[in-house]
Amino acid sequence: MGKRVALVLAGCGVFDGSEIHEASAALVHLSRAGAEVKMFAPNIEQRDVVNHLKGSPTEEKRNVLVESARLARGNIQDLAELKAAEFDAVIFPGGFGVAKNLCSWAVDGKNCTVNEHVNSTLQAFHSAKKPIGLCCISPVLAAKVFPGCEVTVGQDKNVDGRFPDAETASAIAELGCKHICKNVNESHVDKANKIVTTCAFMCKAPLHEIFDGIGTMVEEVLKLA
């Protein structure tokens, strides 16, 4: 029987929701590994709605759960209904929606607050010693909720111009966590906390390298499950 994995989404679209390629990559790797996946998202209003063609905010109002249902092909539940006891692991794809809707990192940085249901989900899996997988910007959730943990968002310097958000590593360190430098096709495993992270689109890399990196994260999560 395959592992049971919860996938937590933050909307639909890189600038105001979940990064679609990251969510899809995680789902493909989980499917290939025979995992049983159920998707969840918080039933809350998005912080903002971005016109992805222009890259600018609009006056629209959208709901995170409703927008996430686009990625889930309609098969999704309110995050408030997620029970850690029913799953072997949880995975959070990245995208600005993580930093806007699942927490307030986009506005407050290391002083951010984490959505109550996101926080309780992370705490429940951690307390049950079940693995947590995070990619792109979502490792900041673990850094905020679990001081002292180890995560990666890629590199702590903008190596060859490929890591424009390298300062995130410094903010993670300021939270009392250890940032581990990794390439885009790698992931880091914090064995003590069962937290697996990979940088994904925090690195300017070809899509297949990001896909492969997410694959290593999924593989390590399933090993720990």
Side-chain angles (χ1 to χ4, degrees), residues 90-153:
V90 65
I91 289 177
F92 290 76
F96 279 95
V98 172
K100 292 179 175 181
N101 305 325
L102 303 192
C103 70
S104 63
W105 187 278
V107 176
D108 302 318
K110 68 180 188 297
N111 298 315
C112 72
T113 55
V114 178
N115 171 274
E116 61 174 316
H117 296 302
V118 173
N119 183 70
S120 62
T121 295
L122 289 167
Q123 295 282 9
F125 277 85
H126 188 258
S127 296
K129 301 189 185 315
K130 294 180 177 182
I132 299 167
L134 310 111
C135 65
C136 195
I137 191 62
S138 65
V140 302
L141 296 172
K144 186 66 181 182
V145 176
F146 307 119
C149 72
E150 298 177 355
V151 299
T152 188
V153 289

Side-chain angles (χ1 to χ4, degrees), residues 11-201:
C12 182
V14 59
F15 298 127
D16 57 13
S18 288
E19 211 297 319
I20 293 170
H21 297 294
E22 292 178 10
S24 179
L27 288 166
V28 170
H29 287 296
L30 287 164
S31 175
R32 184 171 286 144
E36 177 188 341
V37 181
K38 290 188 178 179
M39 286 176 264
F40 298 84
N43 186 9
I44 56 174
E45 187 176 294
Q46 290 184 189
R47 177 174 289 275
D48 62 11
V49 176
V50 175
N51 179 324
H52 279 60
L53 183 61
K54 296 180 179 179
S56 56
T58 72
E59 296 300 315
E60 288 183 69
K61 302 292 183 186
R62 296 192 185 187
N63 177 281
V64 174
L65 178 58
V66 171
E67 291 301 296
S68 297
R70 294 174 179 270
L71 279 170
R73 298 172 61 87
N75 189 9
I76 194 167
Q77 293 174 260
D78 187 337
L79 182 59
E81 299 173 10
L82 194 163
K83 295 179 176 61
E86 297 177 356
F87 295 92
D88 300 303
V90 65
I91 289 177
F92 290 76
F96 279 95
V98 172
K100 292 179 175 181
N101 305 325
L102 303 192
C103 70
S104 63
W105 187 278
V107 176
D108 302 318
K110 68 180 188 297
N111 298 315
C112 72
T113 55
V114 178
N115 171 274
E116 61 174 316
H117 296 302
V118 173
N119 183 70
S120 62
T121 295
L122 289 167
Q123 295 282 9
F125 277 85
H126 188 258
S127 296
K129 301 189 185 315
K130 294 180 177 182
I132 299 167
L134 310 111
C135 65
C136 195
I137 191 62
S138 65
V140 302
L141 296 172
K144 186 66 181 182
V145 176
F146 307 119
C149 72
E150 298 177 355
V151 299
T152 188
V153 289
Q155 300 290 324
D156 56 11
K157 294 182 178 60
N158 190 8
V159 180
D160 298 326
R162 299 177 76 216
F163 295 89
D165 302 304
E167 71 276 1
T168 304
S170 299
I172 286 170
E174 288 175 22
L175 285 171
C177 298
K178 186 174 183 179
H179 180 266
I180 309 297
C181 291
K182 291 285 183 177
N183 291 322
V184 66
N185 60 346
E186 300 175 316
S187 56
H188 176 70
V189 181
D190 177 348
K191 293 182 180 178
N193 290 293
K194 290 194 172 183
I195 295 170
V196 187
T197 50
T198 189
C199 70
F201 278 100

